[in-house]
């Protein structure tokens, strides 16, 4: 947008539309009626929809308080509000689904139910643990987390505890070693625990608001009178309960604009589905469909690789058209093992920083959180500052809170001299800031980086408003804290591919680009594999100028080099130096003989899932193991995991443990024949397991080698 004289907000509706490309202009210039925006990565979707809202206000099509813009993260909502204020429309509500629903629930609860609304619990795990205890289920922490996630998935998909077994039968294998009936009972007991405590979870916020709007026409009318125009960002991530709430907000009206990219659907485990985005034109026949395809983020070389990786697959999405100048070619590097990969990446990052690239403009992305440990060690050894995304929030950090207290105390004594940036630095020196970063110590460096981010923010704000003083700066910090709109911290970002969604950096390193990690080994079926492809696509499109991909042939030094480059890289193999290009790319050889179907030993039905085939029994048939023996095996597994400081499933998965309990092998060869019991585990645990099955004492067994 071309700013008006003085660099302030626009002064007319026409000024709002200045500087937009043709597709963005098509979005912004039509502020009313249904609209579907298919926006590829880096195509300026936030710019398009904020200008659409601003143009609607400036042109008189609607009032700012009549608009509700819905996003999926507090950060995105904060950014949208900041942009709208810059466009002269500060009164627009931009919130997450949960934040908007919670605000309405708290306001209307006394009318719809009476009394004070229930408290929202931050974590499900404690209530899940209590529910498990009531059912005499002994579950470790990973199992509790898995069950909490399953409860969340079921609720957003509008699946009740009673209907859960039938709804998921044939599609899910059970959770945490529990069969479908047991999971259903735990879900029901979890709801009982919450009811007794008079608390609700985040999914309940949505479900309760849906129920209130559906049952109370007067309340629904009040909401619809308040909000008459809706904008939904990241619409490909909407789940069924969110869609139901949105429909009730609309009440049959057509004043809605949705924005999304089916190629960035990566949260199906939370119930997200791109069908709402793809089917929007069918539900709203008068909808205007606009495709944003001009990529302003990445170099043409990066865009080309991203387009090739996505290709004409089931993932969909638009084909991006690069608008930036050419940059360096993306690189794919092979390493002998994970440690060598981490050290190589750290060395490359150090070289980038030496050429002037800010640490805050570099990111290392990975598929699983466990992959970050080696990179953290390698960066720390080179004294390269880094931060792990998903840690403590910026405004919750002790040094930041202390600095804000000091700044509040300095408001009265602020005379207007020196300039804001220097005045802030003088004050936060009392919290530990210094002109030079500390020479060593990761914790000290992280503390200094947080304070320096405040100082740099003061410089940025003073450049926009030279009259801004410490009092106004503190007010801005309070606003940003409430919106979780943190300033940029100088440090290399380490993040999972999921956590990187919506972010961008000058240089991006994606590690672990091998089969088993991308796609992750747990991904089964065509739909899951395609989601893994989209996940890589999201990672690729985070990079502006530099893109480095890498993979390791082995996990540990001297280990068997059994890994291969990810299949997703084959279409871009020629550009990445992978060897054969997409026309002649080698493919994994198929098995010469098809696997014979395996039948349930109880009812004879064909076993569909991997977990069923491992146990040899379908979910519908009851377990055949001795309960006492199974509990003894679980106790032993827990002891073994604690002795080795590993999760319990690393010793044996729940499915393998169930198979052992049901098949009751008596010899080493019989135990070795059970899927999940390989030579290594047979060597480590074989004698213990056979002794337990023979009735020997679990405590003596678990400690006999100590």
């Amino acid at each position: 947008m071309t700013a008006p004289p003085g660099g302030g907000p626009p002064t007319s509706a026409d000024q709002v539309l200045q500087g937009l490309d043709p597709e963005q202009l098509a979005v912004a210039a039509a502020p009313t009626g249904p609209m579907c925006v298919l926006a590829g990565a880096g195509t300026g979707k936030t710019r398009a929809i904020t200008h659409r809202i601003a143009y609607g206000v400036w042109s008189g099509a609607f009032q700012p308080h009549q608009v509700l813009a819905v996003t999926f993260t507090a950060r995105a909502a904060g950014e949208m509000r900041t942009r709208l204020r810059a466009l002269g429309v500060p009164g627009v509500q931009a919130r997450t689904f949960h934040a908007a629903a919670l605000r309405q629930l708290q306001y209307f609860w006394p009318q719809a139910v009476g009394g004070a609304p229930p408290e929202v619990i931050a974590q499900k795990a404690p209530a899940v643990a209590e529910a498990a205890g009531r059912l005499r289920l002994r579950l470790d922490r990973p199992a509790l987390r898995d069950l909490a996630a399953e409860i969340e998935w079921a609720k957003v998909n509008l699946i009740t505890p009673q209907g859960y077994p039938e709804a998921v039968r044939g599609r899910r294998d059970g959770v945490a070693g529990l069969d479908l009936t047991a999971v259903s009972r735990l879900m029901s007991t979890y709801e009982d625990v919450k009811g007794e405590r008079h608390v609700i979870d985040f999914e309940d916020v949505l479900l309760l608001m849906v129920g209130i709007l559906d049952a109370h026409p007067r309340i629904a009318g009040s909401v619809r009178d308040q909000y008459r125009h809706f904008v939904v960002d990241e619409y490909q991530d909407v789940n069924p309960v969110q869609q139901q709430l949105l429909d009730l907000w609309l009440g049959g009206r057509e004043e809605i604009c949705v924005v999304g990219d089916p190629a960035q659907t990566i949260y199906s485990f939370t119930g997200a589905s791109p069908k709402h985005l793809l089917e929007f034109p069918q539900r709203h026949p008068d909808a205007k469909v606009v495709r944003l395809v001009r990529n302003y983020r990445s170099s043409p070389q990066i865009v080309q690789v991203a387009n090739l990786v996505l290709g004409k697959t089931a993932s969909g999405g638009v084909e991006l058209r690069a608008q930036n100048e050419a940059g360096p070619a993306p690189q794919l590097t092979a390493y002998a093992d994970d440690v060598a990969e981490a050290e190589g990446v750290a060395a490359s990052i150090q070289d980038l920083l030496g050429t002037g690239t800010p640490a805050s403009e570099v990111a290392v992305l990975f598929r699983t959180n466990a992959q970050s440990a080696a990179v953290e060690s390698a960066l720390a050894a080179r004294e390269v500052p880094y931060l792990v995304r998903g840690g403590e929030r910026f405004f919750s950090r002790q040094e930041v809170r202390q600095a804000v207290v000091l700044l509040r105390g300095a408001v009265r004594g602020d005379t207007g001299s020196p300039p804001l940036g220097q005045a802030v630095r003088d004050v936060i020196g009392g919290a530990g800031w210094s002109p030079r970063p500390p020479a060593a110590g990761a914790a000290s460096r992280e503390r200094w980086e947080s304070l320096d981010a405040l100082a740099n923010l003061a410089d940025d704000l003073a450049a926009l408003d030279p009259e801004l003083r410490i009092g106004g700066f503190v007010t801005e910090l309070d606003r940003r804290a409430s919106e979780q709109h943190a300033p940029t911290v100088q440090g290399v970002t380490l993040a999972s591919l999921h956590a990187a969604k919506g972010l961008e950096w000058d240089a991006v390193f994606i590690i672990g680009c091998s089969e088993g990690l991308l796609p992750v080994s747990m991904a089964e079926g065509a739909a899951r594999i395609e989601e893994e492809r989209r996940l890589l696509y999201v990672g690729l499109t985070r990079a502006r100028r530099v893109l480095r991909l890498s993979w390791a042939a082995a996990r540990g030094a001297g280990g068997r080099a059994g890994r291969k480059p990810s299949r997703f890289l084959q279409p871009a193999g020629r550009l990445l130096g992978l060897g054969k290009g997409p026309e002649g790319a080698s493919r994994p050889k198929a098995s010469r003989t098809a696997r014979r179907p395996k039948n349930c030993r109880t009812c004879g039905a064909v076993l569909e899932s991997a977990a069923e085939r491992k146990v040899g029994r379908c979910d519908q048939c009851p377990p055949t193991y001795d309960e006492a023996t199974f509990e003894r095996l679980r106790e032993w597994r827990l002891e073994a995991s604690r002795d080795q400081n590993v999760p319990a499933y690393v010793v044996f998965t729940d499915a393998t443990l169930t198979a052992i309990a049901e098949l009751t092998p008596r010899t080493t060869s019989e135990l070795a024949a059970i899927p999940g019991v390989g030579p290594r585990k047979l060597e480590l645990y074989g004698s213990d397991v056979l002794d337990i099955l023979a009735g020997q004492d679990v405590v003596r067994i678990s400690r006999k080698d100590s």
Side-chain angles (χ1 to χ4, degrees):
M1 182 188 81
T2 302
T11 57
S12 69
D14 289 341
Q15 281 188 343
V16 175
L17 301 180
Q18 293 177 12
L20 301 177
D21 71 28
E23 294 80 23
Q24 294 170 345
L25 182 61
V27 175
T32 59
M35 178 176 287
C36 177
V37 183
L38 298 174
T43 56
K45 64 179 178 63
T46 305
R47 178 178 174 86
I49 59 178
T50 52
H51 280 69
R52 182 183 192 267
I53 295 170
Y55 182 73
V57 174
W58 278 100
S59 65
F62 43 73
Q63 298 297 312
H65 65 272
Q66 296 176 330
V67 182
L68 178 59
V70 187
T71 69
F72 276 80
T73 67
R75 179 184 177 277
E79 181 181 352
M80 189 173 291
R81 287 191 290 266
T82 299
R83 293 197 187 201
L84 289 169
R85 277 192 293 269
L87 292 170
V89 286
V92 175
Q93 294 292 319
R95 301 179 179 276
T96 65
F97 266 106
H98 283 92
L102 180 60
R103 192 181 189 197
Q104 293 175 14
L105 185 68
Q106 292 172 334
Y107 182 82
F108 291 112
W109 183 274
Q111 301 177 41
V113 182
E119 179 185 352
V120 181
I121 56 175
Q123 301 290 335
K124 292 185 179 67
V128 174
E130 182 171 338
R134 294 185 183 186
L135 296 173
R136 301 181 182 275
L137 298 173
R138 300 183 64 180
L139 302 172
D140 55 19
R141 288 185 178 180
L144 291 174
R145 289 197 298 268
D146 288 345
L147 287 163
E150 187 71 359
I151 291 171
E152 178 178 340
W153 177 86
K155 296 179 79 165
V156 301
N157 281 284
L158 304 172
I159 298 172
T160 64
Q162 295 73 24
Y164 174 82
E166 188 61 32
V168 304
R169 184 165 286 125
R171 295 184 294 165
R172 300 175 87 85
D173 301 333
V175 183
L178 304 178
D179 59 31
L180 301 182
T181 301
V183 176
S184 171
R185 290 172 57 208
L186 185 134
M187 287 180 173
S188 183
T189 308
Y190 167 77
E191 296 298 326
D192 293 339
V193 170
K194 288 194 296 140
E196 294 169 10
R197 295 181 179 180
H198 193 59
V199 296
I200 58 177
D201 57 33
F202 283 106
E203 291 69 50
D204 290 330
V205 173
L206 303 179
L207 290 166
L208 287 169
M209 203 59 222
V210 164
I212 288 174
L213 293 175
D214 190 46
H216 297 272
R218 191 171 66 176
I219 293 176
S222 297
V223 174
R224 292 163 191 162
D225 286 342
Q226 172 68 47
Y227 299 117
R228 301 182 182 183
H229 300 267
F230 294 85
V231 176
V232 185
D233 195 11
E234 303 290 357
Y235 193 58
Q236 77 280 349
D237 292 332
V238 165
N239 59 47
V241 69
Q242 289 168 336
Q243 182 62 52
Q244 192 171 21
L245 179 60
L246 183 60
D247 290 339
L248 287 165
W249 281 342
L250 282 166
R253 296 169 296 176
E254 296 279 286
E255 292 299 330
I256 179 171
C257 171
V258 300
V259 190
D261 181 8
Q264 297 189 65
T265 306
I266 59 174
Y267 298 116
S268 66
F269 58 89
T270 66
S273 171
K275 72 174 185 178
H276 304 294
L277 174 65
L278 298 173
E279 296 174 0
F280 186 88
Q282 286 73 50
R283 298 197 308 274
H284 301 270
D286 296 330
K288 183 177 182 179
V289 179
V290 181
R291 288 175 167 81
L292 302 184
V293 299
R294 303 173 195 247
N295 179 282
Y296 297 98
R297 176 185 300 159
S298 306
S299 69
Q301 290 85 347
I302 294 172
V303 168
Q304 186 179 13
V305 170
N307 282 337
L308 287 171
V309 166
L310 193 64
K312 305 297 183 182
T313 65
S315 292
V318 301
E319 185 173 352
L320 299 175
R321 302 174 189 172
Q323 304 298 303
N324 288 336
E325 296 181 354
Q331 297 178 11
L332 173 65
T333 305
Y335 293 95
D337 53 69
D338 289 348
V339 173
E341 182 181 25
E343 292 175 349
V345 168
S348 296
I349 291 174
Q350 192 172 45
D351 291 342
L352 276 177
L353 301 185
T355 61
T357 302
S360 60
E361 288 296 342
V362 181
V364 181
L365 308 182
F366 35 80
R367 176 61 180 87
T368 66
N369 290 326
Q371 293 172 262
S372 77
V375 181
E376 290 181 48
S377 298
L379 291 173
R382 295 175 178 270
E383 297 187 355
V384 175
Y386 67 88
L387 56 101
V388 181
R389 186 163 181 83
E392 188 179 21
R393 291 181 172 180
F394 180 84
F395 288 102
S396 298
R397 298 175 187 174
Q398 182 180 1
E399 65 270 19
V400 175
R401 289 188 281 111
Q402 183 183 358
V404 172
V405 170
L406 293 174
L407 288 167
R408 291 190 196 281
V411 170
R412 287 190 177 183
D414 186 12
T415 62
S417 181
L420 178 64
Q422 185 57 54
V424 168
R425 286 172 172 85
D426 291 342
V427 174
I428 66 177
W433 182 87
S434 60
R436 293 182 177 274
S444 298
R445 181 63 183 249
E446 185 177 0
R447 177 184 178 88
W448 184 89
E449 296 285 0
S450 298
L451 297 173
D452 197 56
L454 289 177
N456 293 329
L457 178 62
D459 293 336
D460 295 340
L461 295 176
L464 297 173
D465 182 5
E467 301 300 319
L468 186 67
R469 305 308 310 154
I470 290 180
F473 182 62
V474 170
T475 301
E476 176 66 12
L477 291 179
D478 289 340
R479 182 187 67 75
R480 287 176 173 247
S482 67
E483 298 174 356
Q484 290 301 324
H485 187 188
T488 301
V489 177
Q490 289 296 326
V492 175
T493 300
L494 306 185
S496 69
L497 289 165
H498 283 100
K501 177 96 179 299
L503 304 174
E504 58 187 78
W505 299 268
D506 282 349
V508 170
F509 294 76
I510 304 179
I511 65 173
C513 296
S514 61
E515 292 290 311
L517 289 173
L518 271 172
V520 72
S521 58
M522 295 180 293
E524 296 183 353
R528 294 289 181 88
I529 296 297
E530 276 305 300
E531 183 158 342
E532 293 288 304
R533 182 190 301 275
R534 294 193 294 269
L535 195 55
L536 176 58
Y537 175 81
V538 167
L540 298 173
T541 54
R542 300 309 95 192
R544 300 192 191 101
R545 295 282 298 172
V546 176
L547 176 63
R548 305 278 180 85
L549 310 174
S550 60
W551 66 282
R555 181 176 180 179
R560 186 175 66 89
R563 292 176 178 167
K564 298 180 180 179
S566 170
R567 72 190 77 175
F568 302 146
L569 301 179
Q570 291 292 346
R574 180 179 57 82
L575 298 177
L576 296 172
L578 193 56
K580 299 179 180 179
E583 295 81 15
S586 60
R587 298 180 180 272
K589 295 182 179 180
S591 175
R592 294 177 181 265
T593 57
R595 182 175 59 188
R596 295 178 61 184
K598 193 172 182 180
N599 302 94
C600 174
R601 63 174 178 269
T602 301
C603 69
V606 175
L607 301 176
E608 300 291 340
S609 69
E612 287 181 335
R613 290 191 293 270
K614 181 176 287 188
V615 176
R617 169 180 56 79
C618 62
D619 283 334
Q620 292 92 325
C621 292
T624 58
Y625 55 71
D626 176 72
E627 189 70 37
T629 300
F630 185 67
E631 284 303 312
R632 282 157 49 83
L633 284 168
R634 285 170 60 91
E635 291 174 5
W636 164 83
R637 183 180 66 169
L638 183 60
E639 289 282 342
S641 68
R642 289 171 175 172
D643 289 343
Q644 299 179 40
N645 197 28
V646 298
Y649 66 82
V650 173
V651 179
F652 285 124
T653 66
D654 290 328
T656 300
L657 205 69
T658 301
I660 292 172
E662 295 199 4
L663 297 173
T664 59
R666 300 301 180 187
T667 64
T668 302
S669 58
E670 290 178 358
L671 180 60
I674 296 176
V677 183
R680 178 61 175 166
K681 292 188 178 183
L682 192 67
E683 179 185 353
L684 289 173
Y685 313 124
S687 61
D688 284 1
V689 170
L690 293 175
D691 286 347
I692 291 171
L693 294 174
Q696 297 190 34
D697 183 64
V698 65
V699 175
R700 182 181 65 80
I701 294 168
S702 66
R703 308 191 187 282
K704 66 182 182 181
D705 296 325
S706 58

